[in-house]
Amino acid sequence: MVHSGSRAMGQAVTHAYLNQATKRKGGLLSLQSDRLEGQHYLNDMSWCIQYAELNRKRLLRQAISCIQKELSLDVDWTTYFSSQHNHVSLETHQGRAYWVHRKGSNAAHIGQKGIIAGSMASPSYHVEG
């Protein structure tokens, strides 16, 4: 398991768009996905997610190289999965489409693999919805 994010790019994108957001009832901030600033945000956040994914894969490849060299073991890539825990995605719930922002959490749809990340002092878990 490898954990690495967008190396502060996600936070920079978020902060760049906060001043364009509209304050909603209850204090939530939002951008309209059918407006230019909302579309730009979704595009930039997608770039950050792709960057983070490539970063994790690079870290994995480096670790695998060491494991293969030192232990002569091979890797089973069929067990690989990626689990984002800070993203925005278009999801359908009860027949309606919603933009869902998951901050520090994962969806748990039936059969969907995920990770509950621990810390330096607590274990992490691979889970399935």
Side-chain angles (χ1 to χ4, degrees):
M1 180 171 25
V2 173
H3 180 261
S4 179
S6 61
R7 311 292 298 154
M9 290 305 299
Q11 295 93 329
V13 165
T14 298
H15 291 296
Y17 286 94
L18 281 177
N19 64 349
Q20 299 175 47
T22 302
K23 197 169 200 172
R24 301 286 179 188
K25 188 177 179 180
L28 293 176
L29 297 173
S30 69
L31 294 168
Q32 298 298 314
S33 62
D34 59 349
R35 295 199 176 147
L36 196 55
E37 62 272 5
Q39 292 168 5
H40 285 172
Y41 170 76
L42 291 170
N43 183 65
D44 291 351
M45 187 56 69
S46 176
W47 181 90
C48 291
I49 289 169
Q50 291 172 28
Y51 177 88
E53 176 70 18
L54 290 172
N55 188 39
R56 286 189 293 277
K57 284 186 176 177
R58 183 176 177 103
L59 291 169
L60 272 174
R61 285 189 193 100
Q62 291 296 316
I64 289 165
S65 176
C66 292
I67 290 169
Q68 288 172 330
K69 179 182 174 187
E70 298 299 323
L71 302 175
S72 300
L73 295 175
D74 208 2
V75 174
D76 179 3
W77 279 100
T78 64
T79 63
Y80 174 82
F81 70 95
S82 182
S83 179
Q84 303 290 338
H85 64 270
N86 189 11
H87 63 281
V88 176
S89 61
L90 188 59
E91 299 180 12
T92 302
H93 296 277
Q94 298 178 346
R96 293 186 59 192
Y98 298 94
W99 285 103
V100 178
H101 182 210
R102 297 190 189 281
K103 175 79 172 143
S105 66
N106 292 307
H109 304 294
I110 294 173
Q112 183 176 0
K113 294 178 181 179
I115 295 173
I116 299 174
S119 67
M120 296 297 283
S122 63
S124 297
Y125 300 92
H126 288 201
V127 296
E128 185 173 312

